[in-house]
Amino acid sequence: HFILQQTGGSFGENEISVTDMLGKTIFRFRNNAATLPIDLSAAQPGMYFIHIRNNESHLVLKAIKSH
């Protein structure tokens, strides 16, 4: 479990999705706060991509979950 903190600018609605290495969506939600909670505790160990999209940008972060 970790939290992404946005800084600067206005915080519009974000769509957050997490995908596995095969492109399968693990979960997706919308959030319009500066703090974006990401919980991978139920996910299997492996590499995941966290996609954060809003009207202005699309950011992709890589996360590696170990046991």
Side-chain angles (χ1 to χ4, degrees), residues 38-59:
I38 307 291
D39 185 358
L40 294 177
S41 61
Q44 295 294 318
M47 187 180 317
Y48 294 90
F49 296 98
I50 301 164
H51 301 263
I52 303 169
R53 295 179 183 90
N54 61 32
N55 291 336
E56 298 175 9
S57 63
H58 177 191
L59 175 66

Side-chain angles (χ1 to χ4, degrees), residues 10-33:
S10 61
F11 305 112
E13 183 174 70
N14 293 296
E15 179 182 307
I16 297 93
S17 61
V18 176
T19 59
D20 65 13
M21 288 290 294
L22 300 175
K24 179 182 174 188
T25 300
I26 304 302
F27 68 87
R28 174 179 288 150
F29 66 96
R30 293 185 184 275
N31 184 324
N32 62 357

